[in-house]
Amino acid sequence: GVAPDYIAAFANTGGLGCHEQREKFEATGDIDKAILLEAIADRLAEAFAELLHKKIRTTLWGYAPDEKLSLEDLLKVRYQGIRPAPGYPSQPDHREKKTMWDLLDIDRLSEGTMTLTESYMMLPGASVSALVFAHPQAKYFSVGQVNLDQVQEYSTRRGESGVEGTEKWLGSTVLGYEKK
């Protein structure tokens, strides 16, 4: 039989107001507080992403309603499905954040408090975005190195006339050839 499949996307932050507070700490020489503030904001964003993912699995979609995972099980990714994010090995092209951003209408829904820079970095920095695949056979993977013909095909599917942009965003660790 065919197992039902679902996909979700989300973006969240734990960093609203951090930049301004960090500047205040730095102005008074409280560098340790500034660093700690950023670290806490990062952890809050990651924790909320974990909570969102759990809620999707257990209640919102409920494809794993009886899930009772320990922290160790969570860290070993023993839940059903995967939660890949742009810029990581299974989705190395950061430009895909823009696709998610537009699809989810993040600019409007966050009232401008979450944004993407020209290099697709999320602001506030303590932010997370990801896709959620629910299929029971979904597993994390690494794209690995790709050849020129694969980059050409990917660029064409993105509607690009050449490979230069794709080469830039995939980076040298993903390209299995020397750029011209």
Side-chain angles (χ1 to χ4, degrees), residues 7-164:
I7 186 172
F10 69 86
N12 67 275
T13 187
L16 296 179
C18 281
H19 179 73
E20 295 81 5
Q21 185 60 49
R22 182 180 177 120
E23 287 179 339
K24 290 176 185 176
F25 284 146
E26 288 172 347
T28 59
D30 290 321
I31 304 303
D32 291 347
K33 287 182 181 178
I35 293 169
L36 184 59
L37 174 68
E38 293 286 342
I40 291 171
D42 284 341
R43 295 298 89 216
L44 285 173
E46 291 291 344
F48 191 56
E50 288 291 343
L51 178 62
L52 283 171
H53 190 196
K54 180 181 179 179
K55 292 284 187 189
I56 290 169
R57 293 190 313 270
T58 60
T59 58
L60 297 174
W61 287 351
Y63 58 86
D66 299 323
E67 177 182 282
K68 302 273 189 274
L69 298 176
S70 67
L71 177 58
E72 181 180 350
D73 288 337
L74 284 173
L75 294 173
K76 290 186 177 182
V77 192
R78 291 191 174 134
Y79 47 77
Q80 179 179 320
I82 59 174
R83 193 185 85 201
Y88 285 89
S90 61
Q91 196 182 355
D93 190 344
H94 283 274
R95 296 175 298 177
E96 294 304 324
K97 282 183 207 150
K98 177 72 170 126
T99 304
M100 288 173 44
W101 222 255
D102 293 345
L103 180 67
L104 296 172
D105 201 8
I106 298 297
D107 290 329
R108 182 182 65 80
L109 291 175
S110 73
E111 298 177 340
T113 60
M114 290 180 70
T115 59
L116 288 177
T117 67
E118 287 181 9
S119 62
Y120 304 102
M121 183 177 89
M122 293 180 286
L123 294 176
S127 299
V128 175
S129 66
L131 298 171
V132 177
F133 292 85
H135 196 280
Q137 294 174 329
K139 302 288 181 218
Y140 285 101
F141 62 92
S142 176
V143 168
Q145 290 196 320
V146 294
N147 295 320
L148 179 57
D149 63 318
Q150 294 169 303
V151 173
Q152 289 168 333
E153 178 65 25
Y154 180 59
S155 297
T156 299
R157 289 177 188 212
R158 287 189 52 83
E160 299 168 359
S161 59
V163 297
E164 295 79 16

